[in-house]
Amino acid sequence: MIKTFITSFKIKNTYRVNSIIYSIKGLPIINKILPSSLYKNKFLKIFGNIISILWEIVSTFLWKGLYVWLVLGSMTFAYKTNQTDTFLHLFVFSTLIGGILNTYLLNPTKDKYYSIILMKMDANSFALTNYFYSMLKLVIGLMPFTIIFGLILNVPLLICILMPLFVALVKIIVIGMFSIPDFKKNKVVNSENLPTKKVWILLAVLALLGFGLPYLGIVINQIIYIVLFSVSVIFGIIALREIITFKDYKKIYKVLLTNENVYAVQNASSTKTIRDNVAKRIEYNGDITSNKTGFAYFHELFVKRHNKILTLAIKKQTLVIVGIFIILYIAIFINPDLKQKLNNFTLTYLPYFVFVMYLLNRGTTMTQAMFMNCDHSMLTYRIYRTPKVILGVFKQRLKTLISLNLIPATFIGLGLAMLLFLTGGTDNNLNYLIIFISIIAMSVFFSVHYLVMYYLLQPYNINTEIKNSTYKVVEWLTYFIAYILIGKKIPTFNFGILMSAFCIIYSLISLFIAYKYAPKTFKTRI
């Protein structure tokens, strides 16, 4: 087993080093200076290995620290409930969500694909050694932060120490008591990258209970937490035995790493599977036509044929948004004590909706659909790469993307303004208008941002893999900035004015850059 682990670690490290070199070579300006023979450079290989090892150490602690600080620590202060209990409450439900979304064992990664599928390594040894290594990293990386933040919030030291163990136990229970038995019974493995509808519903319920109950003054206290931990130990031991004694990991990984697995898209049949799944949602009705001409005609046909992909999620989002606001309106009439809390929320937590609009935005989905079902073929024609065509299609796509994203944004803006009015209103009536305009501005911003990113940094290769490191960096920074705004208390009027102004200026500058450079940068990656 130790030999298998060492070999698998070397494979992961080699891939990581090559990825680092590839990312460096993919940066603007630098890519023209560095030669393709870069991968053979011994000095750079050593440098890459040092970075890889440092990253292994840093990543053990970095993401855990950000998770405890941003998700748990900062959100704890957003509620008026007991901070100690609130911290534990958020921790428990976040752990349950994380345990379902990422068990480590069933997370389809490239090192698993290379080691087990391509290099035919012993699947059982690989699975167990790497899984326990991941669990060890989890506990070691998380414990310093649960202790630091826990003690700040007056959580007893013993509970702080046990918190990372609870996270590991939940992941073990999900695997040993649900995933493996389900595979034994149904021979089915659900990829963690593609959660089923039932999983999404469960996650939504957990998120609602985790982040919604504290607003109602309901939180898990220390006694309940200790009971939950004790129960998790009992079930964790049972699940751990199932994980250790299970002998068919090879069968699990054969299913997991070849069906709908993004890490296996290099395989032509896998790419075909993805495209076939998308094709099922495309309208091929010959009666679909358009009265428009030129670029507008070309684009409208695309939109009509991809109506399910582009608009179905928008409709679902809008229904959920309307449902949430109706529930809130009913709640304030049933429980008038909620009025003040919700009024304060609308007047101070507008920054939270930057992250909400980030999640709702359909920019990524639309650009993927554009490339997979249109641009990857059309870019092979020289006329499609001319400035006139590129910019003509860009205009039409921008109009569509903005109009689609404005639908849920409009309901959010109106819903928040109505919520402010029903909960007591505001001394400054401009706040109603500022709330609505700022939400609309955020929606337009993300629409412009993602489409401009697509045209300036076109990240996909022929297999729809992202091959542009700059795109990944910008995408990650967008997520990080939106995420860090969660829980920030800024007066709605001040933040709304600043956010609206920023969105307008950013959009104008981005559009100018896109118009100038997109004809040169919009191409298929190798």
Side-chain angles (χ1 to χ4, degrees):
M1 276 194 174
I2 299 299
K3 185 178 179 181
T4 301
F5 174 75
I6 293 172
T7 303
S8 67
F9 190 83
K10 287 180 179 179
I11 293 171
K12 184 196 296 184
N13 193 60
T14 300
Y15 169 76
R16 189 180 290 165
V17 170
N18 287 336
S19 297
I20 291 169
I21 296 173
Y22 180 87
S23 297
I24 293 172
K25 199 174 182 307
L27 295 172
I29 301 175
I30 295 177
N31 61 352
K32 297 180 180 179
I33 300 173
L34 300 177
S36 298
S37 59
L38 201 63
Y39 295 94
K40 299 178 182 179
N41 188 292
K42 290 184 179 180
F43 173 78
L44 204 57
K45 284 280 188 180
I46 294 171
F47 175 71
N49 274 289
I50 293 172
I51 292 179
S52 178
I53 293 170
L54 289 174
W55 179 248
E56 185 76 7
I57 297 170
V58 170
S59 63
T60 300
F61 299 95
L62 178 63
W63 305 121
K64 281 82 172 179
L66 289 174
Y67 161 70
V68 176
W69 172 42
L70 295 176
V71 177
L72 305 179
S74 61
M75 285 299 295
T76 297
F77 296 101
Y79 304 101
K80 293 185 178 181
T81 46
N82 179 279
Q83 290 182 350
T84 303
D85 293 343
T86 303
F87 181 71
L88 289 174
H89 179 92
L90 295 176
F91 177 80
V92 167
F93 281 96
S94 297
T95 297
L96 294 175
I97 293 171
I100 295 169
L101 278 179
N102 185 10
T103 61
Y104 293 141
L105 192 65
L106 297 182
N107 183 18
T109 56
K110 281 190 175 180
D111 60 298
K112 290 187 178 76
Y113 178 73
Y114 294 148
S115 301
I116 298 172
I117 303 300
L118 297 184
M119 300 187 70
K120 309 297 182 183
M121 291 177 63
D122 183 79
N124 291 340
S125 296
F126 179 94
L128 293 176
T129 53
N130 280 274
Y131 182 63
F132 291 127
Y133 174 67
S134 298
M135 290 294 102
L136 183 63
K137 278 179 58 181
L138 171 68
V139 173
I140 292 174
L142 191 57
M143 191 171 293
F145 302 104
T146 56
I147 291 174
I148 292 170
F149 283 92
L151 292 178
I152 291 173
L153 295 169
N154 299 315
V155 178
L157 179 59
L158 179 60
I159 291 180
C160 294
I161 294 172
L162 295 177
M163 289 173 83
L165 297 176
F166 179 69
V167 177
L169 286 168
V170 168
K171 293 181 184 297
I172 289 170
I173 291 169
V174 171
I175 288 291
M177 301 197 73
F178 296 96
S179 299
I180 291 178
D182 185 45
F183 178 78
K184 285 181 176 180
K185 182 179 179 181
N186 303 313
K187 302 301 178 184
V188 173
V189 183
N190 294 315
S191 170
E192 292 176 4
N193 290 345
L194 298 167
T196 62
K197 289 183 180 179
K198 291 181 180 179
V199 172
W200 279 121
I201 293 172
L202 177 59
L203 293 174
V205 171
L206 290 173
L208 187 62
L209 293 174
F211 295 94
L213 287 179
Y215 275 113
L216 302 176
I218 303 171
V219 290
I220 290 173
N221 57 33
Q222 295 178 42
I223 296 175
I224 296 175
Y225 175 78
I226 292 171
V227 171
L228 289 174
F229 179 82
S230 302
V231 172
S232 70
V233 170
I234 296 171
F235 286 106
I237 293 172
I238 298 171
L240 185 61
R241 183 178 179 278
E242 181 68 31
I243 292 172
I244 294 172
T245 57
F246 184 68
K247 301 300 180 184
D248 286 330
Y249 286 107
K250 185 175 182 179
K251 291 181 180 179
I252 282 183
Y253 285 128
K254 279 185 107 175
V255 174
L256 183 65
L257 299 176
T258 57
N259 292 332
E260 298 179 325
N261 185 352
V262 70
Y263 293 95
V265 293
Q266 293 170 340
N267 184 298
S269 62
S270 179
T271 303
K272 183 178 183 299
T273 299
I274 295 172
R275 288 178 179 166
D276 288 345
N277 289 335
V278 174
K280 292 176 183 177
R281 302 170 66 188
I282 299 175
E283 294 286 343
Y284 291 102
N285 189 344
D287 295 332
I288 292 178
T289 185
S290 170
N291 296 324
K292 297 181 180 180
T293 59
F295 306 120
Y297 172 81
F298 176 78
H299 176 66
E300 188 171 32
L301 289 182
F302 174 84
V303 171
K304 287 182 177 180
R305 289 176 178 173
H306 293 77
N307 184 59
K308 291 181 180 179
I309 296 174
L310 300 178
T311 63
L312 185 60
I314 295 290
K315 292 176 182 177
K316 290 180 179 179
Q317 288 175 0
T318 304
L319 288 174
V320 171
I321 290 165
V322 171
I324 289 173
F325 278 113
I326 290 174
I327 291 171
L328 289 174
Y329 298 154
I330 294 173
I332 59 178
F333 282 107
I334 295 175
N335 184 5
D337 293 337
L338 286 175
K339 285 188 176 182
Q340 189 59 47
K341 292 181 181 178
L342 291 174
N343 187 271
N344 291 336
F345 177 81
T346 53
L347 289 175
T348 55
Y349 281 98
L350 189 58
Y352 180 88
F353 286 89
V354 174
F355 188 71
V356 173
M357 299 312 298
Y358 166 83
L359 293 177
L360 294 178
N361 187 271
R362 302 296 296 165
T364 301
T365 301
M366 186 168 178
T367 54
Q368 286 175 339
M370 288 172 186
F371 183 81
M372 183 179 290
N373 301 308
C374 179
D375 294 340
H376 92 281
S377 296
M378 294 301 296
L379 282 170
T380 60
Y381 298 98
R382 183 173 297 177
I383 190 173
Y384 194 73
R385 302 196 302 271
T386 59
K388 182 181 179 181
V389 174
I390 287 176
L391 296 178
V393 176
F394 175 83
K395 289 179 187 177
Q396 299 301 321
R397 288 175 169 179
L398 182 61
K399 292 177 185 177
T400 298
L401 186 55
I402 289 176
S403 63
L404 287 174
N405 286 324
L406 278 178
I407 297 172
T410 300
F411 280 93
I412 290 177
L414 293 174
L416 285 173
M418 180 62 71
L419 185 65
L420 177 61
F421 176 77
L422 293 176
T423 55
T426 171
D427 295 332
N428 185 355
N429 289 328
L430 281 176
N431 278 323
Y432 296 111
L433 183 62
I434 291 298
I435 286 175
F436 180 77
I437 291 176
S438 60
I439 294 294
I440 297 299
M442 293 177 203
S443 176
V444 173
F445 161 75
F446 282 115
S447 300
V448 172
H449 178 66
Y450 276 102
L451 195 63
V452 169
M453 275 177 61
Y454 175 59
Y455 271 82
L456 291 181
L457 304 172
Q458 203 298 98
Y460 306 109
N461 66 3
I462 196 68
N463 291 320
T464 64
E465 296 174 293
I466 293 180
K467 289 294 183 180
N468 189 327
S469 54
T470 308
Y471 183 92
K472 291 180 181 178
V473 171
V474 175
E475 191 175 41
W476 184 85
L477 284 174
T478 304
Y479 168 80
F480 182 76
I481 293 171
Y483 189 82
I484 206 170
L485 287 172
I486 293 177
K488 299 299 179 185
K489 290 184 178 181
I490 303 175
T492 289
F493 184 84
N494 297 341
F495 181 79
I497 292 291
L498 291 173
M499 191 66 200
S500 299
F502 168 77
C503 292
I504 293 170
I505 294 170
Y506 177 89
S507 297
L508 291 175
I509 294 173
S510 298
L511 290 173
F512 172 77
I513 295 172
Y515 267 66
K516 187 173 183 180
Y517 294 104
K520 301 176 183 178
T521 59
F522 192 55
K523 57 185 179 181
T524 303
R525 295 278 165 182
I526 299 174

